Amino acid sequence: MDARPLPDSVYIKYLHLLLKEIEIVNPKVIVLFGNQVSSIVLDKKISVSLCRKEMFEKNIDNKIFDCYAVYYPVGNGRFNIDKSIEDIKYIMKEYNL
């Protein structure tokens, strides 16, 4: 598996498709992996290390979705996999999943 980061432009190019998919699926909660993806989806600078377990709201077509940024547990992120698991368990407990 290749875990090298993609340029922001790739994510930005397809962001509208992701937002449409979220709108259709209507999830209880959205987990965003890593600083880059979190920053692009939430349209603000995100540092996972500074906002663990913090809920962000994302407005998509006048509907608010709860989002959490967690460490990307692949590549160099594997060093933070314990934190990723801890945060995902926290989110699951918060939403009774």
Side-chain angles (χ1 to χ4, degrees), residues 1-5 33-35 48 52 70-88:
M1 179 188 291
D2 186 353
R4 288 178 291 179
F33 288 97
N35 297 331
V48 172
R52 291 181 62 208
V70 302
Y71 283 103
Y72 181 58
V74 179
N76 284 335
R78 71 185 180 279
F79 299 112
N80 290 313
I81 197 164
D82 292 345
K83 293 174 185 170
S84 297
I85 292 168
E86 176 186 322
D87 291 355
I88 291 168

Side-chain angles (χ1 to χ4, degrees), residues 42-84:
L42 296 172
D43 197 27
K44 65 174 17 176
K45 182 74 173 152
I46 298 292
S47 175
V48 172
S49 64
L50 300 176
C51 66
R52 291 181 62 208
K53 300 176 184 165
E54 180 180 341
M55 192 269 291
F56 296 91
E57 292 183 340
K58 177 69 178 177
N59 186 327
I60 303 172
D61 198 34
N62 295 316
K63 181 158 196 269
I64 303 297
F65 292 90
D66 296 351
C67 301
Y68 291 84
V70 302
Y71 283 103
Y72 181 58
V74 179
N76 284 335
R78 71 185 180 279
F79 299 112
N80 290 313
I81 197 164
D82 292 345
K83 293 174 185 170
S84 297

Side-chain angles (χ1 to χ4, degrees), residues 12-14 21 25-26 31 37 51 57 61 77 82-83 96:
I12 292 167
K13 180 177 180 180
Y14 296 104
E21 184 175 343
V25 173
N26 194 30
V31 177
V37 169
C51 66
E57 292 183 340
D61 198 34
D82 292 345
K83 293 174 185 170
N96 297 314

